[in-house]
Amino acid sequence: MTPLVTLLSLLVLGAQAQHGAEWTYSEGALDEEHWPLEYPDCGGTRQSPIDLQIKKVRYNPSLRALNLTGYRFQRGEFPMTNNGHTVQISLPSTMHMTTSDGTQYLARQMHFHWGGASSEISGSEHTVDGMRYVIEIHVVHYNSKYNSYEEAQKEPDGLAVLAALVEVKDYAENTYYSNFISHLEDIRYAGQSTVLRGLDIQDMLPGDLRYYYSYLGSLTTPPCTENVHWFVVADTVKLSKTQIEKLENSLLNHQNKTIQNDYRRTQPLNHRVVEANFVSYPHQAKGYLHMRNQGSRVEPSLTCHPLDSGSLQA
Ligand SMILES: *[C@@H]1O[C@H](CO)[C@@H](O)[C@H](O)[C@H]1NC(C)=O
Ligand SMILES: *[C@@H]1O[C@H](CO)[C@@H](O)[C@H](O)[C@H]1NC(C)=O
C-alpha cells in the first residue's frame, strides 16, 4: 500500500471507530489496540488486567480476609445473558463483600473470560509470573455508599472485582458448575437470556478464599474506567476439560462467530504496587503446573512451553 492509501484507510478505520462500531478483542476497527479511540480511559495508566509478578508483590500483614455475605445458596431466579462478549449472571445486592478497610461492596454481576481459539490457548486476563490460566471469573461489585451500580461506576471509589483463576483438572467434573454449563445452550445467540434457579456463588469460587492479591486498576473492557479495587484470589477453581470446552464453544457473538479468547492483554503496572495478604502461596510457587497442557496429564516439568502467545503480546 502507498502511504496515502494507508493514511486513508487509517482515517476510515478511525471514522468507523468514532461511529459506534462494537468493540472487539481482535477484529475490526475497534479491536483492543484501538479502544482508546472511543474510550479514552482504556489508554490510561492504571489499567487492568496485569501480570502478577510474585517477586514484586508486597506482603501486607494488615490485609484481612474478605468478608463475603450471601454468597452461599440463594433461592430465586438469576438472569443469565449472552451479551455478545461473555456470559453474565445477574447477582442480587443481598450478596456483598466487606474488604479489609471496612468498605462494603454490593454484588452486581458475574462473568467469565476464556480462550479456546486453539486447543492450547488459555484465556485468563490476569497472569501469574507470565502464566495464563484457562479461564478467569469476575464477580463485579459496587461501593454500597452509592445508590446504584449506575451511579457508582462513575465514581473514583465505585467498584471492586473479586477475581478467580481456573485450571483444568482433566477428568473431574466440577458439579458446582453443571447447572450453569447446561444452560449455555439456551443462550447461544448474542442477546439471549435464560434464568438459573437457585445459585451458590461460593461453590463456584475457589475453596480457599482467604488469600488474595490486591491492587488498584480498571474495568478490563470498554469503557476501562479506572475505579476498580481488584481482589484476585490465590487459590483456583478446577474444571474438567469437557466443561472448559463447553464454555469455549457454546456462545456466539453479534456476528454469529464463536466467542473465544475474550480476554484483554496485560497492561503496564506503571507505579502501582500489588499487595497480598500471604507470603507465598504453595500452588503458585510452581505456576507452570497451572497451564493447560496439550496432553492429558500435567507433568511437573519445566520443559512445557512457559508462556502462551497471548501473554507475550502484553
Ligand atoms: C461479616 O459481615 C457481616 C454482615 O455484613 C457481619 O454481620 C459479620 O459480623 C462480619 N464478619 C466478620 C468476621 O467481620
Ligand atoms: C445469526 O444466526 C441467526 C440464526 O440462524 C440469525 O437469525 C441471525 O440473523 C444471524 N445473525 C447474523 C448477524 O448473521
Side-chain angles (χ1 to χ4, degrees):
M1 270 195 294
T2 67
L4 180 62
V5 172
T6 309
L7 178 63
L8 284 174
S9 59
L10 281 175
L11 288 172
V12 169
L13 286 176
Q16 282 170 352
Q18 296 305 320
H19 289 98
E22 176 124 31
W23 63 267
T24 70
Y25 288 97
S26 62
E27 284 170 6
L30 212 51
D31 61 2
E32 65 177 300
E33 214 182 306
H34 294 95
W35 291 354
L37 282 178
E38 192 145 337
Y39 306 98
D41 287 358
C42 299
T45 55
R46 53 166 276 196
Q47 289 289 292
S48 295
I50 56 168
D51 179 36
L52 300 162
Q53 295 176 267
I54 306 284
K55 269 201 223 144
K56 293 193 185 161
V57 170
R58 181 164 70 201
Y59 169 54
N60 180 350
S62 70
L63 285 179
R64 281 172 291 127
L66 300 167
N67 180 352
L68 304 177
T69 307
Y71 274 55
R72 279 281 166 214
F73 181 80
Q74 298 212 21
R75 279 178 206 290
E77 295 192 339
F78 303 89
M80 171 168 147
T81 303
N82 171 352
N83 65 16
H85 302 291
T86 185
V87 47
Q88 184 165 304
I89 302 170
S90 302
L91 299 174
S93 56
T94 49
M95 256 181 78
H96 50 83
M97 156 170 105
T98 307
T99 57
S100 192
D101 65 3
T103 310
Q104 189 186 57
Y105 294 96
L106 309 181
R108 165 78 172 188
Q109 47 99 345
M110 171 175 175
H111 65 263
F112 299 80
H113 298 268
W114 60 85
S118 77
S119 65
E120 76 259 48
I121 288 183
S122 298
S124 73
E125 297 214 290
H126 289 88
T127 55
V128 181
D129 282 343
M131 303 299 165
R132 192 177 300 287
Y133 286 61
V134 281
I135 293 172
E136 184 162 330
I137 304 164
H138 288 161
V139 188
V140 179
H141 301 73
Y142 65 97
N143 195 324
S144 67
K145 77 186 209 195
Y146 301 112
N147 292 318
S148 65
Y149 179 84
E150 286 66 30
E151 190 183 322
Q153 67 180 346
K154 300 183 203 123
E155 302 295 336
D157 57 353
L159 305 180
V161 177
L162 180 64
L165 301 163
V166 176
E167 49 185 321
V168 60
K169 204 168 176 196
D170 282 338
Y171 301 108
E173 182 180 335
N174 179 337
T175 54
Y176 298 131
Y177 270 80
S178 305
N179 189 34
F180 164 70
I181 286 173
S182 71
H183 277 80
L184 291 173
E185 63 185 37
D186 303 339
I187 54 167
R188 180 162 176 76
Y189 296 101
Q192 284 187 315
S193 287
T194 182
V195 288
L196 293 175
R197 278 172 234 288
L199 192 61
D200 192 321
I201 297 296
Q202 192 145 334
D203 280 344
M204 294 175 82
L205 291 174
D208 185 349
L209 292 169
R210 284 172 300 172
Y211 303 113
Y212 58 81
Y213 303 94
S214 175
Y215 77 98
L216 299 175
S218 72
L219 294 176
T220 64
T221 56
C224 310
T225 322
E226 296 189 317
N227 63 352
V228 180
H229 198 155
W230 280 90
F231 298 90
V232 183
V233 179
D235 192 14
T236 57
V237 170
K238 284 82 181 170
L239 294 181
S240 75
K241 208 168 189 170
T242 309
Q243 291 181 306
I244 290 162
E245 284 167 2
K246 219 43 192 287
L247 184 59
E248 290 170 346
N249 293 292
S250 292
L251 304 181
L252 304 180
N253 66 17
H254 287 110
Q255 281 72 47
N256 281 349
K257 287 195 183 139
T258 307
I259 300 175
Q260 286 178 329
N261 288 21
D262 58 343
Y263 65 89
R264 188 187 194 191
R265 306 272 180 254
T266 54
Q267 304 294 307
L269 187 59
N270 295 323
H271 299 295
R272 291 174 290 176
V273 174
V274 178
E275 294 191 324
N277 65 346
F278 58 94
V279 178
S280 80
Y281 200 77
H283 298 181
Q284 291 184 339
K286 358 181 192 73
Y288 57 90
L289 283 179
H290 293 264
M291 294 190 51
R292 168 191 255 180
N293 256 15
Q294 283 162 300
S296 58
R297 277 169 55 85
V298 178
E299 298 293 348
S301 152
L302 278 169
T303 56
C304 79
H305 43 136
L307 289 169
D308 76 58
S309 55
S311 51
L312 287 171
Q313 293 169 27

